């Protein structure tokens, strides 16, 4: 089967830019003709990859409350051994993917609690899988990327070197917040043009190719 790569939206607050940034990452990668993207949904070629967005907000995970230690469970099939139904559901979701791109904002030089919480619930579901980081913030979110790299390394994930940081200078919430009919924040074209001029899209494509190369090693 084609290998599945999840682009993880890591912020869960009600007003957030994260889904918009995740969509940008998805659009850049899925239009990259150098990547072996699956031509059909039912593609059985293991050399091909698919990309999809995985939003942590849709998982509805409470603050970590699992009564078993993830690293103590059977490595081959940990899912049924968790004590909480929401953990078993989250485990099953993560096991569907072969690699991950974590798209994270920077909160006070670190990552959102929602992302750390989601990572802490599991262990073997992450272990050994390729991972990449895309950060964003007023200066690109490099501190968050560094922290996340340490966490993913602790989970024994294979984190690729390329980690683009997206400076957010103009994109933001409308005055008064989003209305009921607005589904998401739109990227300000000045930010997008700035990223292009800085070569961010090329860096993003390098990230995609590094993930593919890691998947090819399996």
């Amino acid at each position: 089967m084609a290998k599945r790569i999840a682009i993880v939206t890591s912020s869960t607050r009600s007003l957030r830019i994260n889904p918009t940034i995740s969509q940008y990452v998805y659009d850049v990668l899925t239009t990259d003709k150098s990547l072996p993207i699956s031509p059909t949904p039912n593609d059985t070629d293991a050399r091909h990859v698919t990309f999809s967005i995985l939003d942590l907000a849709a998982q509805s995970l409470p603050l970590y409350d699992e009564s078993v230690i993830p690293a103590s469970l059977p490595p081959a099939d940990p899912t049924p051994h968790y004590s909480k139904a929401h953990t078993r559901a989250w485990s099953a979701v993560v096991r569907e993917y072969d690699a991950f791109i974590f798209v994270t904002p920077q909160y006070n030089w670190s990552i959102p609690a929602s992302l750390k919480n989601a990572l802490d619930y599991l262990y073997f579901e992450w272990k050994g899988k390729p991972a990449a980081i895309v950060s964003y913030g007023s200066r690109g979110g490099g501190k968050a990327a560094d922290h996340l790299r340490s966490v993913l390394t602790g989970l024994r994930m294979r984190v690729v070197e390329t980690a683009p940081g997206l400076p957010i200078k103009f994109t933001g919430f409308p005055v008064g917040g989003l209305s009921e009919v607005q589904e998401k924040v739109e990227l300000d074209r000045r930010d997008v043009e700035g990223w292009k001029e800085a070569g961010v899209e090329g860096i993003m494509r390098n990230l995609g190719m590094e993930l593919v190369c890691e998947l090819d090693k399996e």
Side-chain angles (χ1 to χ4, degrees), residues 1-4 37-45 48-50:
M1 295 293 292
K3 300 294 178 65
R4 300 186 64 191
I37 297 174
S38 175
T40 64
N42 298 319
D43 185 7
T44 58
D45 192 332
H48 292 164
V49 298
T50 65

Side-chain angles (χ1 to χ4, degrees), residues 7-10 17-31 51-55 101 103 134 136 166 183-187 192 195 201 204:
I7 299 171
V8 182
T9 300
S10 303
I17 299 173
N18 210 158
T20 304
I21 304 296
S22 294
Q23 186 64 52
Y24 170 78
V25 174
Y26 176 89
D27 291 343
V28 170
L29 292 174
T30 55
T31 55
F51 293 95
S52 57
I53 294 175
L54 174 59
D55 192 344
I101 301 171
V103 182
V134 177
Y136 66 93
L166 309 181
E183 295 182 357
K184 66 177 183 178
V185 175
E186 296 296 332
L187 286 176
V192 176
W195 299 340
E201 293 190 358
M204 199 87 69

Side-chain angles (χ1 to χ4, degrees), residues 70-177:
S72 69
L73 301 181
D77 187 20
T79 305
H81 300 278
Y82 290 105
S83 65
K84 308 290 185 180
H86 51 259
T87 314
R88 294 191 292 273
W90 176 228
S91 172
V93 168
V94 172
R95 290 179 69 186
E96 292 178 0
Y97 295 96
D98 303 289
F100 300 85
I101 301 171
F102 296 95
V103 182
T104 181
Q106 179 166 298
Y107 288 0
N108 300 311
W109 286 23
S110 188
I111 59 177
S114 51
L115 176 54
K116 183 62 164 63
N117 190 53
L119 290 168
D120 286 344
Y121 263 100
L122 312 174
Y123 180 70
F124 290 111
E125 296 86 338
W126 305 118
K127 184 180 180 184
K129 291 182 179 178
I133 300 166
V134 177
S135 63
Y136 66 93
S138 60
R139 297 183 180 180
K143 297 288 187 182
D146 290 344
H147 186 188
L148 180 55
R149 182 178 296 274
S150 294
V151 174
L152 300 180
T153 301
L155 288 168
R156 304 299 187 265
M157 299 190 82
R158 292 148 50 200
V159 189
V160 302
E161 288 298 321
T162 301
L166 309 181
I168 304 292
K169 300 182 182 299
F170 302 104
T171 301
F173 303 116
V175 176

